[in-house]
Amino acid sequence: MSGTLELRGLTRVHAAGQPPALAGFTLDVPAGSCVAVLGPSGSGKSTVLRLTAGLDSPDGGSVLLDGRDLAGVPPERRGMAMVFQRPLLFPHLSVRDNVAFADRVRGVPRRQARERAEHHLELVALRGYGDRPARALSGGQEQRVALARALAAEPRVLLLDEPFSALDTTLREEMHDLLADLRVRLDPTVLLVTHDPAEADALADTVAVLDGGRLQQAGPMRELYAAPASLAVSRLLGGRTEVPGTVRDGVHSSVLGALAVPRPVPDGPGVLVVRPEAVRVTSPADPAADATGTVVRVRRRGLRALVAVEVPGPGGASVEAELATGEELPAGRTVGLVLPVADRAVVPPVDGTPSDAARSPISHG
Amino acid sequence: MSTRQRAVLLVLPALVPVAAVVGAALVSAVLLSLGLTPLVGQPELSLDAWRAAAGDLGTATRLSLGIAAAATVLAAGVGLCLALAATAVVRRSRLLGALAALTIPVPHLVGAAAIGLLLADSGFLPRLLGVAPGDWPSLVGGQWWVAVVAEYAWKESAFVALVVGSVLASRARSYDETAALLGAGRWARFRYVTLPLAAPALGVASAVTFVYTLGSYEVAALLGRPYPEPLPVMAVRLAGSIDLAVRPQAAAVAVTTAVLALAAVLLALRALRRLSAWD
């Protein structure tokens, strides 16, 4: 049932004279896998899905399903189903007939289609809801029905366009569990679009980070966390520590001092990034400390606290660190910082200073 | 004060004038038709006026219903097509929508005159096609009321397109895409998605068109034949007659028209309650 999807150099220009919404996007979605396209609003991630589904046609590149080029194939013949951010259940049909829709338009007899619909409603834990009108459901239930309706179409590729972002945290986690369960039972090929790194982490085998219409990096989420390829990726994944400096012979020199880099990096200017959960805060006298600085800001994050430590020097540097559970540090305290070698990463600097917009790349909408 | 009472109070300023004008007109027409408010003589309850009008009333009723039904079916069909075309993504069809909307402010009387000039046996169309007046079918004033139906259908199709188009424009596209991704081809999407979504609006617009056409006078008077007459033409002729004694008959015809229109509205509302699957 599940197919292999290949996107090759997809390019889409919405209006002449404007920068492309998507430029040369290439991605492999192996059969039975779940690949997430992660990006901020306006990064072109929904465009990826629309081009894949055939709702828009690309200005360049191609979409291949099981090796067959889908150029010119209308959406209804592509064997894909999509779940949008809004459930878009047909308001004139009951829940059961919504789920039976794909079978009905395929010419399956009504009774058989409805039986199959019941089966799919059971898959999303909505047994017994079939007779309700589509309007009489809560937001989470609506999205479950939308998912059941898409699965009932037996798509070769299931496309998910931020399907859970309108739900509250608890419901969203329930839906994540449901999707994980469905993946085990049905083994579908899933292409998911999201702006939420946690969602991508929870659901996807591979994540492709998209920014400004361009693929920044693709790989397993751990790899993106450990070794982001660019400042944009680091920021999108919640990285806040950025220390400019110079790399020579595998050593990054900055106000933090000379720090060895675990992976080979070309010589020249480079920005050291390190995730807050990797940084260890210790006493300034600790011989293991890579740098010392002053706590300038403390932010609560559940049982843990996130502290910003200002390291003095030319230009200065701010390093964010997550404290252990229950640990407290007041602002103004001088502390030592340990940056474990394996968690250091150096990315190329961007031209000019980062703008505010670039610093807060995750927006909700 | 309960919410319900407050709601009633808020509606009153709109309700009172409507009830007063329509109610007073209907009541006085009923009284007049029953001989209770004669222009001369003693008031006396009688069905004389109804009996006198009865002969032509049946023919006029059938004719009026026929014209209204034909015009409504045509307007609904053409209007739906216009709405579909105007909400399609092609820019040219947006121009089509704008052209259709331009029809709305044209008064029916002007429209009737234009249709008359176009379709009459000596009109623009036969000249353009090079058909001699004798060979041209009598569309204006003919047996089948073609020009009358055409005028109503043309004018009201723009109204239908406007109402249906506004509903489709806001919702149809995302549902259409969803249906396409579930494997529905063009026809299946129209049959199972677009049409059901448009149905409530189409139903309302058709009901309004039907009732309007049923009660409207000027187009049938201008483009129709002298006999038989549709209800409104008959009512106006009787009411304007120099024979004041036929006034009650005019009232009887007017009351018949109003009752038919009311029945049509009630039927339409009942059907719509079943149709309107959404808010």
Side-chain angles (χ1 to χ4, degrees):
Chain A
M1 163 185 168
S2 43
T4 302
L5 180 69
E6 294 162 79
L7 309 179
R8 292 278 168 268
L10 280 184
T11 300
R12 166 81 181 177
V13 184
H14 285 321
Q18 281 182 3
L22 196 66
F25 183 79
T26 294
L27 186 69
D28 281 342
V29 187
S33 71
C34 177
V35 174
V37 176
L38 178 68
S41 295
S43 59
K45 55 190 193 306
S46 288
T47 307
V48 173
L49 283 196
R50 293 187 64 83
L51 296 181
T52 308
L55 296 174
D56 292 325
S57 39
D59 294 302
S62 51
V63 177
L64 297 118
L65 183 60
D66 296 326
R68 189 168 72 99
D69 192 344
L70 293 182
V73 178
E76 60 265 29
R77 299 232 189 88
R78 290 196 170 206
M80 297 182 189
M82 176 130 83
V83 178
F84 296 88
Q85 189 176 345
R86 294 191 298 143
L88 291 170
L89 301 183
F90 300 121
H92 56 287
L93 299 178
S94 68
V95 167
R96 183 182 297 111
D97 286 340
N98 260 284
V99 180
F101 185 87
D103 275 345
R104 290 292 291 143
V105 297
R106 260 193 299 217
V108 175
R110 188 187 297 264
R111 248 189 68 195
Q112 200 182 334
R114 287 188 167 167
E115 272 166 23
R116 281 175 37 80
E118 281 300 337
H119 164 70
H120 281 100
L121 280 173
E122 232 166 276
L123 277 181
V124 297
L126 282 180
R127 189 186 182 156
Y129 282 72
D131 288 323
R132 299 202 186 184
R135 292 166 299 163
L137 296 178
S138 70
Q141 290 169 340
E142 282 186 332
Q143 205 55 288
R144 278 166 190 262
V145 175
L147 194 57
R149 180 176 64 177
L151 289 171
E154 296 184 331
R156 302 191 60 72
V157 178
L158 180 61
L159 306 172
L160 304 176
D161 190 358
E162 306 215 29
F164 314 129
S165 59
L167 305 176
D168 63 47
T169 322
T170 323
L171 273 178
R172 200 179 315 158
E173 276 164 15
E174 270 178 35
M175 293 298 285
H176 289 171
D177 290 345
L178 174 67
L179 194 64
D181 177 45
L182 290 172
R183 283 194 62 201
V184 172
R185 294 167 77 167
L186 304 177
D187 196 34
T189 305
V190 181
L191 180 57
L192 163 82
V193 150
T194 179
H195 65 254
D196 181 4
E199 184 163 271
D201 201 6
L203 296 175
D205 308 318
T206 314
V207 177
V209 179
L210 196 61
D211 192 50
R214 284 174 197 282
L215 179 66
Q216 304 286 320
Q217 192 175 1
M221 202 63 177
R222 302 233 140 267
E223 196 178 301
L224 304 192
Y225 273 128
S230 67
L231 275 180
V233 174
S234 167
R235 286 169 185 165
L236 190 65
L237 300 186
R240 293 172 165 272
T241 302
E242 295 171 7
V243 186
T246 322
V247 178
R248 176 156 305 163
D249 301 329
V251 175
H252 184 263
S253 309
S254 66
V255 284
L256 298 184
L259 297 173
V261 184
R263 278 163 287 269
V265 179
D267 286 359
V271 179
L272 177 75
V273 295
V274 59
R275 297 203 52 83
E277 51 272 35
V279 179
R280 199 156 54 79
V281 178
T282 174
S283 87
D286 189 340
D290 295 304
T292 54
T294 313
V295 175
V296 291
R297 199 176 62 239
V298 182
R299 272 193 296 152
R300 307 295 323 168
R301 207 190 245 184
L303 282 177
R304 288 162 172 255
L306 197 66
V307 294
V309 178
E310 200 72 42
V311 178
S318 175
V319 176
E320 293 218 344
E322 198 175 74
L323 300 182
T325 311
E327 200 180 340
E328 297 283 347
L329 272 181
R333 174 80 60 90
T334 304
V335 294
L337 296 168
V338 180
L339 284 64
V341 178
D343 295 309
R344 299 170 192 164
V346 173
V347 298
V350 281
D351 299 333
T353 49
S355 67
D356 283 343
R359 279 202 71 89
S360 53
I362 300 176
S363 61
H364 299 271
Chain B
M1 195 189 303
S2 73
T3 347
R4 197 184 161 80
Q5 281 171 322
R6 189 177 309 172
V8 170
L9 271 184
L10 282 171
V11 174
L12 274 184
L15 205 60
V16 168
V18 172
V21 173
V22 176
L26 269 182
V27 168
S28 62
V30 170
L31 292 180
L32 184 60
S33 73
L34 292 175
L36 294 175
T37 52
L39 288 166
V40 285
Q42 286 298 312
E44 191 187 337
L45 184 66
S46 83
L47 289 174
D48 288 350
W50 288 90
R51 263 185 227 113
D56 287 339
L57 206 54
T59 325
T61 300
R62 279 194 296 278
L63 182 59
S64 274
L65 289 176
I67 291 174
T72 304
V73 167
L74 280 176
V78 174
L80 180 64
C81 291
L82 280 174
L84 290 174
T87 45
V89 270
V90 191
R91 177 162 305 155
R92 199 180 28 186
S93 3
R94 245 180 266 161
L95 181 73
L96 191 70
L99 282 178
L102 272 182
T103 311
I104 289 174
V106 177
H108 268 286
L109 202 58
V110 175
I115 291 277
L117 291 174
L118 185 71
L119 296 183
D121 52 9
S122 58
F124 182 68
L125 204 57
R127 283 175 201 222
L128 192 73
L129 298 174
V131 179
D135 301 333
W136 188 252
S138 48
L139 303 177
V140 175
Q143 192 191 350
W144 294 104
W145 299 76
V146 174
V148 178
V149 171
E151 202 281 342
Y152 283 129
W154 163 69
K155 263 288 280 167
E156 298 304 316
S157 66
F159 166 71
V160 173
L162 193 76
V163 174
V164 176
S166 61
V167 170
L168 287 184
S170 58
R171 313 212 192 187
R173 184 151 176 215
S174 41
Y175 284 115
D176 195 62
E177 288 182 350
T178 307
L181 286 166
L182 291 169
R186 218 172 259 275
W187 167 248
R189 298 206 294 273
F190 174 73
R191 165 76 185 76
Y192 293 112
V193 179
T194 313
L195 201 56
L197 292 185
L202 188 64
V204 170
S206 299
V208 171
T209 299
F210 184 85
V211 171
Y212 176 83
T213 310
L214 189 71
S216 131
Y217 158 80
E218 67 270 37
V219 178
L222 203 63
L223 298 177
R225 48 187 1 196
Y227 187 88
E229 301 160 309
L231 289 169
V233 177
M234 186 176 168
V236 171
R237 177 178 56 76
L238 291 173
S241 165
I242 48 164
D243 180 3
L244 294 182
V246 299
R247 280 284 167 90
Q249 292 181 36
V253 177
V255 169
T256 308
T257 315
V259 168
L260 283 175
L262 195 66
V265 168
L266 290 177
L267 279 177
L269 280 180
R270 232 183 80 182
L272 276 175
R273 205 164 301 145
R274 237 175 302 143
L275 263 182
S276 60
W278 58 358
D279 45 335

